[in-house]
Amino acid sequence: MVKSAKQKRVGVALIGAGMIAKTHVAALSEAQNDIALKAIVSRNPDKARYLADFYDAEAPEFTSDLAAVAADPDITVAIVATPPSVRKDIIQVLAQAGTHILLEKPVGRSPQEALEVVEICERAGVTLGVLFQHRMRAPSLAAAEQIKTGALGKLGLVEIDVPLWREQSYYDELGRGTYARDGGGVMITNAIHSIDLALSLAGPVTSVQAMTATTALHDMEAEDFAIAGLRFACGASGSFVASTAMYPHRTEIIRLHFEKASLKINKDALEISWRNGETDIVAQDTAPRKVNPLLGGKHEWHQAVIEDFTNAVRHGTKPMVTGREALISHRLIAAIERSSRTGQLTPVGAP
């Protein structure tokens, strides 16, 4: 039986106490939709107790008993933030108990596994959302509104640039950058956020011509560099470049070139360059902060996704990104990998 969220307060469990857990706990602490963090599930609950310092309310329960948390009638939503390799079994337990699931990216290690996760939730009748918080940045929202007006004209060219740096210590964590744990390297672990945002604005990609590689700068199994030419369903062409071997670490940038203007979108601002030479800078974040590749960004973006998801569960509507919608990004990543192996122009198909 699917749990109801019509009651005023929505009880939430956080599954996983890794690197991103602090961001989730801080986001839940300030969430505005009358949301309460009830439990944190970790393989080692004692080591996870430090997370209570980031929650400005009654401390949650710390436990390793997933089944008990799933069965708790006061817990309506679970945020799953574990490595992809252990997600499917966790989601099976939660979905069978009727718990709605907000999932950290990726949905699965492959399009096939991601589809299985989506279908598990659909069969159980629970809502599955995916935490693509880049969509909640003010410049991203402003870009979506600009495009919706139609004033920019036809889209002709898309640039997706993800120039990141990770020390070798990042990949020295057990299983990171492997296909068995993560499903791949820079694309599925890091660049998938920019891929999702770009596709939400430009529409799906129909075919790719690509190359991926593992540079001499990292000792890892999967790719730390990927480049691809893209053909979009709308008729636009595009480029995609992503790496964790580009020092110094820089912010991701998406550029969309329309008939009447070009949009430059990053986490700090939306820059609109009109063909008449005028430039508008909107949704600008002027707060100074040092670029740090492992800080994970502001928790406000996660907070906005969590509030959106709990609102969707409460009212029976769609969350910002559904599990099935997230499959589009997975299919593009898989197509880039296939094109790199074959050296051929590759269609982006179903998983």
Side-chain angles (χ1 to χ4, degrees), residues 2 38 94 96 98 106 110 136 158 175 207 210 217 229 280 290 313 325 331 343:
V2 178
K38 295 288 190 180
L94 294 168
Q96 286 180 347
S110 67
M136 286 298 190
V158 177
S207 62
L217 301 178
D280 294 326
K290 184 177 180 180
V313 168
E325 183 181 357
R331 292 167 186 163

Side-chain angles (χ1 to χ4, degrees), residues 28-317:
L28 286 161
S29 182
E30 296 188 16
Q32 299 299 306
N33 280 7
D34 206 355
I35 301 164
L37 176 60
K38 295 288 190 180
I40 294 177
V41 179
S42 172
R43 288 178 297 179
N44 193 326
D46 288 337
K47 286 187 177 180
R49 291 186 188 280
Y50 78 96
L51 291 169
D53 294 339
F54 298 90
Y55 191 62
D56 190 22
E58 182 180 350
E61 176 190 4
F62 289 86
T63 179
S64 60
D65 193 341
L66 176 66
V69 168
D72 188 336
D74 292 329
I75 295 176
T76 309
V77 168
I79 299 173
V80 178
T82 64
S85 55
V86 298
R87 292 240 178 103
K88 195 166 75 168
D89 290 343
I90 290 171
I91 289 165
Q92 186 79 58
V93 171
L94 294 168
Q96 286 180 347
T99 306
H100 304 278
I101 299 164
L102 179 58
L103 183 61
E104 269 286 354
K105 53 75 187 167
V107 180
R109 291 168 292 179
S110 67
Q112 294 78 13
E113 186 175 70
L115 179 60
E116 290 174 20
V117 167
V118 170
E119 290 178 341
I120 286 170
C121 294
E122 288 179 345
R123 286 194 297 270
V126 299
T127 301
L128 174 64
V130 184
L131 224 150
F132 283 124
Q133 72 272 12
H134 288 199
R135 290 209 203 181
M136 286 298 190
R137 293 171 170 174
S140 303
L141 296 170
E145 286 299 315
Q146 283 287 338
I147 293 167
K148 188 188 297 185
T149 67
L152 302 173
K154 187 176 181 179
L155 179 64
L157 183 65
V158 177
E159 300 176 72
I160 308 169
D161 295 317
V162 188
L164 310 179
W165 169 251
R166 295 292 187 269
E167 298 282 355
Q168 178 59 40
S169 58
Y170 178 78
Y171 292 110
D172 288 341
E173 181 180 322
L174 184 63
R176 175 161 290 153
T178 67
Y179 293 100
R181 193 194 89 152
D182 291 345
V186 62
M187 288 192 291
I188 200 165
T189 300
N190 310 100
I192 193 170
H193 282 293
S194 295
I195 290 171
D196 168 75
L197 177 57
L199 297 183
S200 75
L201 298 172
V205 171
T206 57
S207 62
V208 302
Q209 180 83 54
M211 186 196 87
T212 65
T214 306
T215 71
L217 301 178
H218 288 131
D219 180 13
M220 58 186 291
E221 180 186 11
E223 86 291 342
D224 67 352
F225 172 77
I227 185 169
L230 313 173
R231 296 186 187 276
F232 286 80
C234 67
S237 300
S239 65
F240 165 72
V241 180
S243 182
T244 52
M246 294 181 174
Y247 186 87
H249 181 85
R250 287 162 286 157
T251 187
E252 309 99 318
I253 295 176
I254 296 171
R255 293 179 174 87
L256 304 175
H257 302 278
F258 294 85
E259 288 177 303
K260 299 179 181 178
S262 294
L263 305 183
K264 176 185 174 183
I265 309 155
N266 61 31
K267 69 180 186 303
D268 298 320
L270 168 64
E271 184 177 309
I272 309 172
S273 299
W274 298 95
R275 292 293 177 266
N276 63 7
E278 295 180 358
T279 299
D280 294 326
I281 298 178
V282 299
Q284 186 170 16
D285 183 356
T286 57
R289 60 179 179 276
K290 184 177 180 180
V291 176
N292 186 317
L294 298 182
L295 285 181
K298 294 183 172 183
H299 74 261
E300 287 88 343
W301 302 325
H302 282 73
Q303 179 183 334
V305 176
I306 292 168
E307 290 173 351
D308 170 84
F309 184 78
T310 55
N311 188 63
V313 168
R314 187 179 273 124
H315 298 288
T317 56

